[in-house]
Amino acid sequence: QVQLAESGGGLVEPGGSLRVSCAASGSIFRINYMAWYRQAPGMQRELVAQITSGGTTNYADSVKGRFTISKDNAKNTGYLQMNSLKREDTAVYYCYAQIQSSWGAIRNAYWGQGTQVTVSS
């Protein structure tokens, strides 16, 4: 069984920075894909950033140049560095990953429980 645990959310002023983390635990051979989604009140969940096993990244237009996704394969942990935060970045941020539990196994998808990020003065 694999679990994803986010941490690092909180309250930050506009223009500030925050880094959220996503630690995967359990039976893990390889994290093939990791992404961060967010959901604001009354809104649909949206894709913010994604990273492949090879390190290729993509970002939503609304966060390009401000957010950076990365992952540490040795620690089975992903990160989302958020700079120049705006009020409209306020949301619950969710980690999503596709993980193989052993060599040759299929990928299974997992979600974290979410972490609240609030941008306010």
Side-chain angles (χ1 to χ4, degrees):
Q1 187 70 8
V2 173
Q3 291 185 326
L4 301 181
E6 297 105 333
S7 61
L11 174 65
V12 62
E13 292 185 346
S17 297
L18 207 60
R19 188 179 80 162
V20 290
S21 302
C22 174
S25 61
S27 179
I28 300 168
F29 170 71
R30 177 186 294 137
I31 299 177
N32 297 91
Y33 171 88
M34 184 171 278
W36 288 92
Y37 286 74
R38 67 185 180 186
Q39 188 167 20
M43 304 292 286
Q44 288 190 331
R45 191 171 296 190
E46 63 172 349
L47 177 63
V48 175
Q50 56 188 333
I51 185 168
T52 68
S53 58
T56 300
T57 59
N58 279 294
Y59 299 90
D61 287 343
S62 58
V63 307
K64 276 182 183 176
R66 300 188 297 121
F67 289 13
T68 302
I69 188 172
S70 62
K71 63 184 177 72
D72 184 331
N73 292 325
K75 295 181 178 180
N76 289 327
T77 299
Y79 306 96
L80 184 68
Q81 176 68 43
M82 302 180 286
N83 298 328
S84 302
L85 281 160
K86 304 176 181 180
R87 288 182 173 84
E88 51 264 41
D89 295 318
T90 295
V92 177
Y93 283 71
Y94 296 92
C95 175
Y96 168 84
Q98 295 177 357
I99 296 173
Q100 286 177 282
S101 59
S102 61
W103 185 86
I106 62 170
R107 300 181 184 188
N108 287 310
Y110 301 91
W111 286 94
Q113 80 286 354
T115 185
Q116 177 70 46
V117 172
T118 302
V119 184
S120 175
S121 54

